[in-house]
């Protein structure tokens, strides 16, 4: 039991058991949604479970089609006649495909199998929702505590087998054997391809997930099936990048030529004092000439 229960998480199962039993004690009518893997939902009326569904277990329609009482085309025609009903009970009985008692048995089987799939999986939480109706309820509901006990009993029986398996873990392959097989064994070996779990095989064969899981465990113990080693991780390859097409741009015009530098003489000419004659003109003469003499010289007037 520990090999199956421990990896699944006791805390999640504890939340589910507490919420479902509380719904029964409070005579809840509605849907208890159970997110997880595979997850599912319980439908209650006055505290009794009247239906359960899970993506991890075939529904009543799959089980009925597997019974060969009706084929796919006939089922599709009944659904059209009933206006799209998922479970056309009246049409099934009117056309003689199944009796009322047989349909009740199918609904009970689907309910119990869905409950097993939910309990055997991972439970992430619970949410009670009012105002929902199941599409294939049973006439007499199951007490929540008894439904959980039945699911736990099945888990314990599965864990006690020499090669216990989980519905969503092992992916068996047929072994090379030469011995008589039962119809179920032949069917499972025909679908086992190393990629399908027991849950996948249940959907392919239209049988209950618990029935198929137990049979897969027995066939592993008898050497009819074998499990390969752990699947190697698929290498991640990056997509090839397409070459980026760039538009050709016209060439840029050449830069203008740099202006030629103005030649600078290596050394400026020295200026000699008194070369311009201004000093003698402005400076006071030794003869005592004044500014008046300068102006007479400048304007060319005679003395």
């Amino acid at each position: 039991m520990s090999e199956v229960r421990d990896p699944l998480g006791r805390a999640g199962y504890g939340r589910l058991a507490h919420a479902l039993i509380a719904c029964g004690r409070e005579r809840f009518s509605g849907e208890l949604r159970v997110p997880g893997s595979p997850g599912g939902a319980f439908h209650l009326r006055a505290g009794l479970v009247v239906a359960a569904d899970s993506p991890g277990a075939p529904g009543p329609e799959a089980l009925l089609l597997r019974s060969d009482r009706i084929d796919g085309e006939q089922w599709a025609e009944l659904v059209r006649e009933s206006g799209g009903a998922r479970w056309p009970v009246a049409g099934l009985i009117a056309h003689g495909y199944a009796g009322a008692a047989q349909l009740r048995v199918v609904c009970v089987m689907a309910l119990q199998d869905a409950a097993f799939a939910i309990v055997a999986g991972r439970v992430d939480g619970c949410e009670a929702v009012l105002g929902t109706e199941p599409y294939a309820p049973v006439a007499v509901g199951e007490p929540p505590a008894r439904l959980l006990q039945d699911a736990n009993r099945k888990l314990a029986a599965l864990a006690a087998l020499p090669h216990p398996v989980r519905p969503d873990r092992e992916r068996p392959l047929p072994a090379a054997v030469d011995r008589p097989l039962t119809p179920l064994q032949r069917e499972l070996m025909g679908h086992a391809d190393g990629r399908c779990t027991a849950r996948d095989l249940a959907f392919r064969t239209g049988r209950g997930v618990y029935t198929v899981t137990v049979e897969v465990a027995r066939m592993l113990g008898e050497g009819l099936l074998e499990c390969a080693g752990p699947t190697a991780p698929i290498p991640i390859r990056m997509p090839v990048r397409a070459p980026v097409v760039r538009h050709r741009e016209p060439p840029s015009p050449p830069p203008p030529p740099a202006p030629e530098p103005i030649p600078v003489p290596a050394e400026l000419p020295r200026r000699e004092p008194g070369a311009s004659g201004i000093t003698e003109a402005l400076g006071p003469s030794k003869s005592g000439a004044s500014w008046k003499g300068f102006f007479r010289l400048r304007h060319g007037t005679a003395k």
Side-chain angles (χ1 to χ4, degrees):
M1 181 69 177
S2 60
E3 294 182 7
V4 177
R5 171 60 65 193
D6 288 346
L8 302 177
R10 295 178 182 271
Y13 173 77
R15 287 195 298 268
L16 171 61
H18 176 78
L20 193 58
I21 292 175
C23 288
R25 183 173 57 251
E26 298 169 4
R27 298 181 61 81
F28 173 76
S29 294
E31 179 182 1
L32 181 66
R33 297 176 182 174
V34 185
S37 177
F42 294 92
H43 302 270
L44 298 95
R45 287 180 184 167
L48 297 178
V49 181
V50 295
D53 52 78
S54 170
E61 65 275 18
L63 299 178
L64 184 63
L65 288 170
R66 174 64 181 78
S67 67
D68 294 332
R69 296 180 179 275
I70 182 174
D71 59 27
E73 293 183 1
Q74 294 169 333
W75 176 265
E77 182 63 27
L78 282 181
V79 172
R80 284 192 295 268
E81 289 179 4
S82 63
R86 293 184 60 185
W87 187 241
V89 179
L92 288 168
I93 297 174
H95 287 274
Y97 294 129
Q102 294 169 333
L103 295 179
R104 286 195 295 269
V105 171
V106 170
C107 290
V108 170
M109 292 172 57
L111 186 159
Q112 295 178 348
D113 205 43
F116 167 77
I118 296 172
V119 172
R122 189 188 74 246
V123 176
D124 294 337
C126 297
E127 179 186 6
V129 180
L130 295 171
T132 62
E133 283 292 330
Y135 70 93
V138 298
V140 180
E142 291 274 357
R146 188 169 68 189
L147 189 64
L148 291 173
Q149 289 173 358
D150 181 68
N152 274 295
R153 178 187 58 80
K154 292 176 179 178
L155 280 173
L158 186 60
L161 295 174
H163 290 269
V165 299
R166 283 173 51 183
D168 60 346
R169 184 176 59 186
E170 288 78 9
R171 303 175 186 273
L173 283 165
V177 295
D178 184 14
R179 49 166 284 186
L181 302 174
T182 66
L184 177 57
Q185 290 174 342
R186 283 196 300 269
E187 194 170 8
L188 294 179
M189 291 188 70
H191 289 286
D193 55 3
R195 294 177 295 178
C196 294
T197 62
R199 181 172 64 195
D200 299 328
L201 294 174
F203 276 94
R204 288 195 176 188
T205 60
R207 298 178 182 271
V209 66
Y210 172 68
T211 301
V212 172
T213 304
V214 170
E215 190 62 31
V216 167
R218 289 174 177 169
M219 293 174 71
L220 285 171
E222 296 173 7
L224 301 177
L225 294 175
E226 58 187 11
C227 288
T231 306
I234 300 175
I236 300 176
R237 296 181 179 179
M238 300 300 294
V240 179
R241 294 183 179 272
V244 179
V245 179
R246 300 183 183 274
H247 296 285
R248 179 175 296 179
E249 298 180 356
S252 302
E260 296 182 2
I262 300 174
V264 179
E267 185 178 357
L268 294 176
R270 289 182 176 275
R271 184 180 177 193
E272 298 180 0
S276 62
I278 192 67
T279 304
E280 291 80 357
L282 295 179
S285 61
K286 296 181 181 179
S287 61
S290 63
W291 285 96
K292 293 179 180 181
F294 170 75
F295 283 107
R296 282 196 298 268
L297 289 173
R298 183 177 181 86
H299 294 285
T301 56
K303 293 182 181 180

